[in-house]
Amino acid sequence: MYGAGRAGSPAPVDATVVIVNWRQPELTVAALESLAVQSTSFSFEIIVVENEARPGSDAAIAERFPEVGIIRLPANEGFAGGVNAGIRASRGKYIVLLNNDAVADEGFLQAGIARLEQSPSSLAAIAARVLLAGRYSPVAVRDDPGALVDAAGIGWMPDSGSSGVELTNSTGVSVSRDLNGYDRDWLVPSDEARDHVDSDPFGFSGAAAFIRRAALDEVGLLDERFFMYYEDLDLSWRFRLAGYSIGYEEHAVVRHRHAASSGHHSALVRFHSMRNRLLTVVKNGTALVILRVLARTLGRMLRDSVHRLRGGRQTTAVYLSRADWLRLWAQAVRLGGPVLSRRVATAERGRARSRRLVEKTYLHG
């Protein structure tokens, strides 16, 4: 039931779809077009959050989709801040996250919302099945450093020909013992991905997910200090500590243009991933895992320093520049106090699961 009313109407709806846009209106229009043809028995509204809005920046969206609510933020609040603005203005029982560079299959909303409706209230969120848009073929990574690389070290590049295959982006989020968050089934051909019926992934990807509002009311929204990356992992971890479960729905399918807005090899991605991984573990992990991640982060910085001292000029060998490392530690120290305060507050409320049990159950490798 598309267009059950603009955002702000007092009438409740089953779900609110939140899409964050930043200077990519053509991508957002494609995402909205996919929502306009959803086949679902559930009522829903759509809220687009325009980061760093400028006069006319959302004109194509407003003119094409007048029934969509638009929230205009004067500054770029990142993915976390944008999503939270949309949630605060929403009226749905469930919150649906959809990246602006993702296109939903016709049955996406029906499958995800129905799964939450039919599940106990202890199920906080559902990870969707995220496929990569387009088709890909394997290449030698050494021949093309821009390739996407799978768990076996095989590189993949777009292939518009008949030999290309469809690849999986995510079937939920897993976590290594070093607290590297990674997409489950990353770059596995879609017809070879495992059957994850009744699976229990550690978390969901913010690219496409369904979240129970009542669970958000208990643990809080996305952490806006993260700006972008790891905010979905942090929220998933908080759900776990609160005793909630997270599921996966294979029939809720989207096709995602991976890192279309930021670039998967960019310094921006590396900086926020490294910084936010550190903040996430300080906020949620045991002392042992915190020390492990600190040591790993310092080791990465030391390797970068040694490479520069030896006169290395291959930019791919240096994870972050010297300036970015200094900025990372400065921000980690500045944000560390509020993060630790949240950690203390979480412990004081008491949780159904201990940090140690969550790590024992879900951290791999």
Side-chain angles (χ1 to χ4, degrees):
M1 295 170 64
Y2 177 67
R6 291 182 65 89
S9 169
V13 292
D14 293 315
T16 298
V17 184
V18 177
I19 300 176
V20 178
N21 179 60
W22 183 65
R23 300 180 180 178
Q24 297 280 356
E26 69 284 356
L27 293 178
T28 302
V29 164
L32 292 171
E33 287 175 341
S34 73
L35 294 174
V37 295
Q38 289 292 297
S39 176
T40 179
S41 60
F42 298 103
S43 62
F44 68 96
E45 66 177 352
I46 303 171
I47 295 177
V48 171
V49 180
E50 183 77 4
N51 263 333
E52 202 172 21
R54 296 293 183 267
S57 61
D58 54 51
I61 297 170
E63 292 170 6
R64 185 79 176 271
F65 304 96
E67 68 275 37
V68 169
I70 300 178
I71 297 175
R72 298 172 176 89
L73 302 180
N76 182 5
E77 303 293 343
F79 180 78
V83 166
N84 286 354
I87 293 175
R88 293 186 184 106
S90 68
R91 53 200 171 96
K93 180 180 178 183
Y94 307 113
I95 302 299
V96 183
L97 303 184
L98 182 66
N99 265 19
N100 75 317
D101 55 0
V103 173
D105 279 12
E106 184 178 339
F108 169 69
L109 289 179
Q110 180 68 25
I113 298 171
R115 176 70 180 278
L116 282 176
E117 281 280 282
Q118 297 161 8
S119 300
S121 60
S122 58
L123 183 68
I126 294 292
R129 184 185 184 197
V130 185
L131 304 176
L132 285 179
R135 305 183 79 81
Y136 291 75
S137 288
V139 297
V141 176
R142 65 178 179 275
D143 295 335
D144 200 322
L148 300 176
V149 182
D150 65 20
I154 298 172
W156 295 85
M157 289 293 291
D159 183 351
S160 58
S162 59
S163 61
V165 299
E166 186 175 54
L167 297 177
T168 304
N169 187 156
S170 177
T171 60
V173 172
S174 298
V175 186
S176 72
R177 292 198 177 277
D178 290 326
L179 202 77
N180 277 327
Y182 59 95
D183 289 309
R184 189 173 64 173
D185 292 326
W186 169 244
L187 300 186
V188 174
S190 60
D191 58 356
E192 297 177 13
R194 288 176 49 204
D195 181 358
H196 292 294
V197 175
D198 297 326
S199 68
D200 187 29
F202 180 88
F204 59 86
S205 167
F210 301 78
I211 306 174
R212 196 180 298 274
R213 178 185 290 276
L216 285 172
D217 290 341
E218 179 179 350
V219 307
L221 303 182
L222 296 174
D223 192 329
E224 296 182 19
R225 291 167 296 204
F226 284 32
F227 191 75
M228 59 188 294
Y229 297 109
Y230 274 78
E231 66 284 291
D232 46 6
L233 180 61
D234 167 64
L235 180 56
S236 297
W237 204 324
R238 285 186 277 137
F239 281 146
R240 291 295 182 188
L241 291 174
Y244 286 102
S245 61
I246 296 172
Y248 164 67
E249 178 50 60
E250 65 176 347
H251 299 296
V253 179
V254 305
R255 285 171 173 79
H256 180 218
R257 290 180 58 181
H258 179 65
S261 298
S262 56
H264 63 274
H265 287 303
S266 71
L268 179 73
V269 170
R270 294 196 297 268
F271 174 84
H272 282 94
S273 295
M274 183 68 76
R275 187 199 68 173
N276 293 348
R277 181 172 65 111
L278 189 58
L279 293 176
T280 297
V281 71
V282 169
K283 186 175 177 181
N284 300 295
T286 61
L288 180 60
V289 171
I290 292 172
L291 290 173
R292 185 184 299 135
V293 172
L294 278 171
R296 193 169 185 269
T297 304
L298 289 168
R300 175 73 263 190
M301 183 178 68
L302 180 61
R303 286 195 297 275
D304 281 359
S305 298
V306 169
H307 183 78
R308 280 191 290 267
L309 287 173
R310 290 177 175 175
R313 299 185 181 278
Q314 294 182 2
T315 57
T316 55
V318 176
Y319 193 78
L320 291 175
S321 68
R322 182 183 291 107
D324 277 344
W325 276 116
L326 292 174
R327 185 163 62 99
L328 184 150
W329 290 111
Q331 291 188 13
V333 170
R334 177 171 59 83
L335 297 173
V339 166
L340 286 172
S341 296
R342 178 61 184 264
R343 177 185 176 92
V344 171
T346 299
E348 288 176 348
R349 282 198 299 271
R351 291 308 190 190
R353 293 176 178 167
S354 70
R355 301 181 197 278
R356 187 179 300 277
L357 178 59
V358 169
E359 292 170 8
K360 180 180 179 181
T361 305
Y362 294 102
L363 270 58
H364 305 289

